[in-house]
Amino acid sequence: MTTERATRGTINPWEVAQQQFDLAADRLNLDAGLRRVLREPRRELIVHFPVKMDDGSVQVFTGYRVQHNLGRGPAKGGIRYHQGVTLDEVKALAMWMTWKCAVVGIPYGGGKGGVIVDPKQLSQRELEGLTRRYATEISIIIGPERDIPAPDVNTNSQTMAWIMDTYSMHVGYTVPGVVTGKPIALGGSEGRNEATARGTVYCIVEAARHLNLDLSKATVAVQGFGNAGSIAARLIGEEGSTVVAVSDSTGGIHDPSGLDIAKVVAWKAEHGTVQGFPGATDVSNATVLEVDCDILIPAALENQITERNAGKIKAKIVAEAANGPTTPEADAILFANGVFQIPDILCNAGGVTVSYFEWVQDLNRDFWDEAEVNSKLKGIMVKAFKDCLAMSLRENVNMRTAAYLLAVQRVADATAMRGLYP
Ligand code: NAD
């Protein structure tokens, strides 16, 4: 138990995920048998695999691939490389993927993978070796009809290219549809790189409309400055909002008069950190969550908004680009304080939605331009947001519970209709 709890304080993401599910299951009066089925993952694969390091030594790494539910289609979910990965974290992320795919109505179940590694300590050659061997170990359960990985924290289109190549070498022909988030040249989709952040911003636009918040006068803080966070910071700027604070794993920066995001991206590329950015004040990661702003976008890791700091959040909207950034206790505090939350399973679903588009394009060998991708993405995100908002207003619950009510019901219906085998 202690090792499972080793990361991000003492809060276990799997317990959080099950608690969130229980809330929805209670409210839906879910059949006891269905509840038992949906409360556990379908499959958990643990692999320990050797990698030859640059110094000639052999190191053994531990990785996971979890498939939470396959009721509505093949499993779908990212692969995370992080020193703090645990089986319980991967189980939580897989369960969240099941609900996320159901909220936006795309035909997938939920999966997730992770390797316990600090990728910053590995050379590019070592990372390729690790990725190819991990892909080999999990290849017994992945495939375009079975389970389709994608990028997550510390993995990217290059990682996906290596996995696609490894899988294709095993079967003897090219299988672009085995992963998404690939480079465009290998069957990736236009718009996939920005999709998570773009979906988040579509949700923020809808939330602002609902709350009568003028985005052109709004201020924004972003925690995490990777794929989701840095692109969300850029895109919310295109709506006219002012980004006043951002952070990465090394700390944060704050400038109440506004940060030039393109310059912060360039600064981070050059210095490896957002800190020290000219004209801004260096602040701690915790401070970034609590600065004066209208919109807070957590885009890093789980358990960042807890009962300890939820009461100090000044934002009117919390848009969860990250998975699991808020604990159930913090949810209750934010709701009581009138903070409008856009929950992860809705807010960051743009990533998996365009991953789905990529998979469809790969299977059909028929590729779309970016305008088509973005317009289809917008249609799906806006509809999902409106469905969740209507549910939240009707049931007088926060947006997370509303999203769960929709998602869990859809997955439960699919599971019940399929019946129990054998
Ligand atoms: P990434 O590796 O590109 O970026 C992660 C960022 O978080 C980095 O800037 C890192 O420095 C920062 N970070 C790490 N620990 C931090 C801390 N304690 N405080 C502040 N910043 C910290 O990863 P990403 O793909 O942008 O993923 C970020 C979040 O978004 C994760 O929760 C992920 O599951 C979620 N997400 C990503 C996608 C996607 O398509 N990439 C889709 C859905 C959800």
Side-chain angles (χ1 to χ4, degrees):
M1 197 60 158
T2 14
T3 48
E4 294 293 318
R5 287 170 171 275
T7 55
R8 292 179 277 292
T10 52
I11 302 162
N12 181 331
W14 177 237
E15 287 171 12
V16 170
Q18 286 193 316
Q19 238 176 300
Q20 292 166 337
F21 167 74
D22 286 342
L23 260 177
D26 285 347
R27 221 174 160 102
L28 288 168
N29 233 337
L30 204 65
D31 168 82
L34 267 176
R35 182 195 275 249
R36 281 182 211 116
V37 172
L38 298 182
R39 215 171 176 273
E40 299 296 338
R42 166 95 176 255
R43 297 184 178 126
E44 301 169 20
L45 176 63
I46 305 177
V47 294
H48 307 285
F49 56 97
V51 179
K52 179 84 145 277
M53 310 306 280
D54 289 346
D55 66 3
S57 69
V58 171
Q59 299 296 333
V60 172
F61 292 86
T62 297
Y64 309 100
R65 185 75 192 170
V66 173
Q67 297 172 347
H68 170 256
N69 186 276
L70 305 173
R72 301 177 59 260
K76 187 86 189 82
I79 289 173
R80 174 173 295 192
Y81 289 172
H82 195 277
Q83 59 277 18
V85 163
T86 64
L87 178 58
D88 274 3
E89 178 183 52
V90 179
K91 282 163 69 176
L93 289 160
M95 186 194 246
W96 289 327
M97 286 306 299
T98 300
W99 313 138
K100 193 180 301 180
C101 294
V103 167
V104 286
I106 59 177
Y108 288 135
K112 203 81 181 191
V115 176
I116 306 173
V117 59
D118 178 358
K120 288 179 191 145
Q121 308 300 323
L122 268 60
S123 70
Q124 190 74 350
R125 198 211 58 80
E126 289 169 336
L127 263 185
E128 178 174 351
L130 175 137
T131 300
R132 287 185 181 279
R133 184 61 190 249
Y134 168 68
T136 301
E137 296 297 333
I138 65 167
S139 66
I140 55 174
I141 60 167
I142 66 170
E145 308 293 343
R146 310 168 76 190
D147 181 352
I148 306 121
D152 191 72
V153 174
N154 292 329
T155 57
N156 55 28
S157 59
Q158 176 62 73
T159 324
M160 297 306 117
W162 289 328
I163 296 176
M164 183 274 234
D165 183 67
T166 303
Y167 186 88
S168 299
M169 287 299 141
H170 291 165
V171 295
Y173 55 92
T174 297
V175 188
V178 66
V179 285
T180 58
K182 295 178 297 294
I184 305 272
L186 298 179
S189 179
E190 297 289 346
R192 173 61 185 87
N193 197 41
E194 295 82 14
T196 303
R198 202 174 284 284
T200 297
V201 172
Y202 288 142
C203 287
I204 293 173
V205 169
E206 292 304 309
R209 185 170 297 141
H210 168 63
L211 299 171
N212 279 322
L213 179 75
D214 182 355
L215 277 186
S216 72
K217 297 196 179 79
T219 52
V220 184
V222 183
Q223 183 201 40
F225 207 65
N227 173 278
S230 70
I231 300 175
R234 170 164 61 81
L235 294 179
I236 196 71
E238 290 174 13
E239 299 296 325
S241 305
T242 306
V243 180
V244 294
V246 301
S247 66
D248 60 23
S249 58
T250 62
I253 52 174
H254 183 213
D255 182 351
S257 65
L259 296 161
D260 182 331
I261 294 305
K263 287 191 178 149
V264 181
V265 169
W267 179 267
K268 182 168 161 83
E270 193 184 339
H271 302 272
T273 167
V274 295
Q275 288 215 310
F277 182 69
T281 312
D282 283 350
V283 292
S284 72
N285 238 310
T287 308
V288 167
L289 298 171
E290 297 166 17
V291 295
D292 220 339
C293 65
D294 298 305
I295 301 163
L296 173 64
I297 306 179
L301 296 167
E302 301 92 42
N303 301 331
Q304 300 301 304
I305 307 177
T306 67
E307 58 192 331
R308 285 200 307 277
N309 60 359
K312 297 184 198 149
I313 283 173
K314 301 185 188 69
K316 299 180 185 77
I317 297 174
V318 174
E320 297 181 344
N323 284 305
T326 315
T327 64
E329 295 78 15
D331 277 347
I333 297 169
L334 294 179
F335 191 55
N337 289 348
V339 179
F340 188 90
Q341 275 177 290
I342 312 172
D344 48 7
I345 59 169
L346 168 65
C347 193
N348 67 41
V352 74
T353 301
V354 177
S355 273
Y356 164 62
F357 296 163
E358 179 174 332
W359 179 75
V360 168
Q361 292 171 79
D362 288 340
L363 296 184
N364 293 329
R365 270 64 171 164
D366 174 21
F367 291 88
W368 317 338
D369 64 21
E370 191 177 351
E372 185 173 359
V373 168
N374 289 347
S375 129
K376 284 194 160 93
L377 172 64
K378 186 173 183 180
I380 287 179
M381 293 304 299
V382 171
K383 179 179 183 309
F385 181 94
K386 287 184 173 163
D387 289 348
C388 291
L389 181 62
M391 176 68 87
S392 142
L393 297 174
R394 198 181 77 206
E395 298 289 322
N396 188 30
V397 291
N398 65 14
M399 284 285 280
R400 185 179 325 281
T401 305
Y404 266 75
L405 292 179
L406 284 171
V408 172
Q409 187 69 63
R410 285 172 188 165
V411 178
D413 286 349
T415 308
M417 273 185 270
R418 286 181 63 153
L420 191 62
Y421 176 87

